[in-house]
Amino acid sequence: MEVKDLKPELIWKCFDEITKVPRPSCHEEQIRNFLLNFAAENGVEAETDKVGNVVMRKAATPGHENAPMVVLQAHMDMVAEKNNDIEHDFLKDPIRAYVDGDWVKAKGTTLGADNGIGIAAAMAVMIDKTLVHGPVEALFTINEEIGLEGAQNLEKGFIKGTMLLNLDSEDDGEIFVGCAGGIDTTATFTYHRSFTPDNFKYFRVSISGLLGGHSGSDINLGRANANKLVARFLWECSQKWDTTVCRFEGGNLRNAIPREAYAVFGVHDDHKEAVMRHLNKYATEIKDEYIGLEPLMDFRIEEAERPEYCLDSETSLAVVRAVYSAPHGVYSMSRDIEGLVETSTNLASVKHVGDDKIVVTTSQRSSVESRKNDMAGQVEAHFQLAGAEVTHSDGYPGWAPNMNSRIMKISADAYEELFGIKPAIKAIHAGLECGLFLDKYPGLDMVSFGPTMTGVHSPDEKLLIPTVDKFWKHLCRVLEKVAVL
């Protein structure tokens, strides 16, 4: 069975079309044109703002014109992650989505269900003539995954609705009424290139096969960080032998736990066999540490040709020490909501830039604004001690739960009526755009919900098919209930 043949047909057909449109973060031109063409072809009112957000509007079902206007909100971009052995150009190639039992997956890349299924649901509402609803808007924002740029720059008056349904959650049976704020911290090391010693033996050490995942919703699962594992190995080598580092790269996106990393390094010829033995011992120890958590972890070491250049010895050691000792993971748990991470940090990526810089990217999250800034400050101080230049992004605010929310009660009642169980009301340790919407539209009443998906922000991303049917029915029932207010 193909994705477009799944039921309910309308939402899956829209999702299938979306997977064919390239839409990595910061490159939403094609998906924007796709949405505008979709609106034009179906006679749906649509416009864009100065940064490229799109809004569509649909009039109320006759007799429900006076109901509150509901905004259906999803983001256009997707995380562009792939396995190293996969050839895929996210600017040109369609996602190769396929059905595997009860799941929709992608071949070697992220699926883009985050937030393609939200886009598809909003599109389906715009063209479904059988629904009963009040006036509806569909807001599609740009660049959510890297900086929430669309929400940051949303103009006052661009949307008219008073209730907003954020369609960017990942767990059926859960309704979210709050989220963490976040800020990115970047450390830049400047090094001098040195010629590599000719009496050294050079190696490439790599780690792959880690589960990775979302740096918010998965940060509490204890998964391994590829950057830190490679740095730990290099540090251990440096404590035993003179070690020179030629290259160290790992991770990709700030909001993804790094799954893969590698380093090219050298030690004196006399220590070749000792290094190989140490890697085997190290790999065994690490696999034991993560037994049950990282079943596909793969360490490799192989001899490498001698590179022409390496990092100067001082910076080489500083980078290894800093990445190895940098904070990563959960910092504190919420005292208000049981099981919710309050504050965390993700050591996301290590990248060479040009011939003289290594850039380390981290991301901090917290539901408490002062704790968010404190965590960013700790990361800044850590890398400053290592000699790096440190900068921060503008960040974004959290979304404080409103337990008296009208749309929360409507959404919860709708779910219980349909499926016979009460949904869980939760906050999430991930960034949603809702906090930024409140800055521009302080009166907005909001919730977030969606179908079940796992492995988001990684090539293991998959979408649970039966929950998409529930998601669609739930969304339609919420619109019906708002229509009679």
Side-chain angles (χ1 to χ4, degrees):
M1 178 179 287
E2 296 185 16
V3 172
K4 65 182 179 181
D5 298 322
L6 295 169
K7 305 294 182 183
E9 181 178 350
L10 193 55
I11 187 173
W12 281 113
K13 183 178 178 182
C14 290
F15 180 72
D16 182 62
E17 292 174 356
I18 290 165
T19 63
K20 296 178 173 64
V21 183
R23 52 189 178 95
S25 299
C26 303
H27 298 279
E28 293 95 342
E29 300 85 1
Q30 294 180 72
I31 188 66
R32 182 185 303 110
N33 291 335
F34 167 81
L35 290 169
L36 293 174
N37 290 336
F38 166 85
E41 291 169 2
N42 289 281
V44 176
E45 177 189 347
E47 64 175 306
T48 60
D49 65 9
K50 63 183 180 182
V51 296
N53 297 318
V54 174
V55 67
M56 298 181 191
R57 298 186 179 92
K58 184 182 181 183
T61 304
H64 299 280
E65 292 83 358
N66 294 325
M69 181 178 286
V70 176
V71 182
L72 310 178
Q73 189 268 321
H75 61 84
M76 287 186 257
D77 61 320
M78 65 172 282
V79 169
E81 281 277 281
K82 69 180 186 68
N83 291 324
N84 283 343
D85 60 348
I86 295 295
E87 292 289 334
H88 188 92
D89 186 342
F90 282 98
L91 294 177
K92 298 178 181 178
D93 299 334
I95 299 299
R96 295 181 295 167
Y98 66 98
V99 177
D100 182 7
D102 280 342
W103 297 90
V104 172
K105 303 176 180 178
K107 294 183 179 179
T109 70
T110 37
L111 173 63
D114 174 16
N115 189 216
I117 197 64
I119 300 173
M123 289 170 59
V125 168
M126 289 292 112
I127 60 175
D128 192 332
K129 301 184 185 306
T130 69
L131 299 181
V132 175
H133 55 79
V136 181
E137 292 179 313
L139 173 64
F140 306 100
T141 50
I142 66 163
N143 202 16
E144 187 267 354
E145 300 290 3
I146 304 178
L148 295 93
E149 182 183 355
Q152 291 267 18
N153 293 281
L154 189 67
E155 299 173 7
K156 292 182 179 180
F158 189 59
I159 56 174
K160 315 295 182 185
T162 57
M163 294 179 172
L164 185 143
L165 305 179
N166 172 274
L167 307 178
D168 190 21
S169 293
E170 300 157 10
D171 297 283
D172 171 52
E174 298 180 352
I175 295 173
F176 292 93
V177 295
C179 71
I183 188 170
D184 300 337
T185 304
T186 302
T188 302
F189 292 87
T190 301
Y191 64 89
H192 301 289
R193 293 197 303 175
S194 302
F195 289 108
T196 52
D198 59 7
N199 59 342
F200 271 40
K201 184 65 68 177
Y202 294 89
F203 303 90
R204 185 185 191 275
V205 61
S206 65
I207 182 169
S208 60
L210 301 183
L211 292 175
H214 191 290
S215 64
S217 57
D218 295 327
I219 199 71
N220 62 322
L221 299 180
R223 294 174 178 172
N225 181 311
N227 294 329
K228 291 186 70 66
L229 292 184
V230 168
R232 177 175 164 182
F233 176 74
L234 293 175
W235 182 81
E236 289 186 4
C237 288
S238 72
Q239 301 306 294
K240 298 175 180 291
W241 314 288
D242 287 338
T243 304
T244 183
V245 176
C246 306
R247 198 156 194 93
F248 182 0
E249 300 240 10
N252 189 10
L253 302 174
R254 62 163 184 84
N255 51 6
I257 301 168
R259 305 170 67 248
E260 300 178 342
Y262 78 92
V264 177
F265 70 103
V267 298
H268 193 277
D269 286 341
D270 294 343
H271 305 305
K272 171 187 171 182
E273 299 301 328
V275 168
M276 299 293 283
R277 288 195 301 271
H278 182 67
L279 186 280
N280 291 331
K281 177 177 178 290
Y282 178 78
T284 299
E285 290 175 347
I286 296 302
K287 287 179 179 179
D288 286 344
E289 288 179 16
Y290 287 95
I291 192 167
L293 287 173
E294 296 287 359
L296 302 178
M297 180 187 294
D298 184 23
F299 271 100
R300 294 183 184 271
I301 189 168
E302 54 193 359
E303 292 188 34
E305 292 187 9
R306 174 190 171 189
E308 186 175 4
Y309 299 106
C310 59
L311 281 65
D312 67 86
S313 58
E314 182 178 349
T315 308
S316 171
L317 188 56
V319 170
V320 169
R321 283 174 171 171
V323 175
Y324 173 42
S325 60
H328 169 81
V330 175
Y331 181 72
S332 60
M333 300 296 291
S334 172
R335 285 158 288 182
D336 300 318
I337 300 176
E338 185 177 355
L340 176 68
V341 177
E342 179 201 81
T343 305
S344 72
T345 179
N346 178 45
L347 183 68
S349 69
V350 181
K351 298 291 182 185
H352 283 248
V353 177
D355 292 330
D356 65 346
K357 296 210 169 26
I358 294 179
V359 177
V360 181
T361 302
T362 71
S363 177
Q364 287 63 244
R365 302 177 189 267
S366 183
S367 51
V368 178
E369 189 72 9
S370 60
R371 283 285 181 92
K372 178 189 79 175
N373 294 330
D374 173 50
M375 192 72 253
Q378 290 188 48
V379 172
E380 177 179 13
H382 173 84
F383 282 102
Q384 284 176 336
L385 284 171
E389 180 181 343
V390 182
T391 59
H392 302 283
S393 69
D394 291 336
Y396 55 90
W399 167 30
N402 172 16
M403 302 312 292
N404 296 313
S405 163
R406 193 178 189 187
I407 193 62
M408 178 190 73
K409 185 176 187 311
I410 290 170
S411 300
D413 289 347
Y415 192 92
E416 186 174 6
E417 290 168 8
L418 286 167
F419 309 118
I421 57 173
K422 293 181 180 293
I425 306 299
K426 291 187 172 183
I428 188 172
H429 188 65
L432 296 172
E433 294 158 288
C434 299
L436 289 164
F437 296 148
L438 282 177
D439 278 351
K440 308 291 178 63
Y441 299 86
L444 265 182
D445 191 9
M446 301 182 292
V447 293
S448 178
F449 57 83
T452 296
M453 58 190 87
T454 63
V456 295
H457 296 188
S458 83
D460 297 323
E461 181 184 4
K462 57 184 180 180
L463 176 62
L464 186 57
I465 294 167
T467 65
V468 174
D469 180 54
K470 295 177 71 177
F471 169 53
W472 175 246
K473 289 175 179 175
H474 185 208
L475 174 59
C476 295
R477 180 62 64 90
V478 171
L479 293 175
E480 289 174 5
K481 291 176 75 68
V482 174
V484 299
L485 293 179

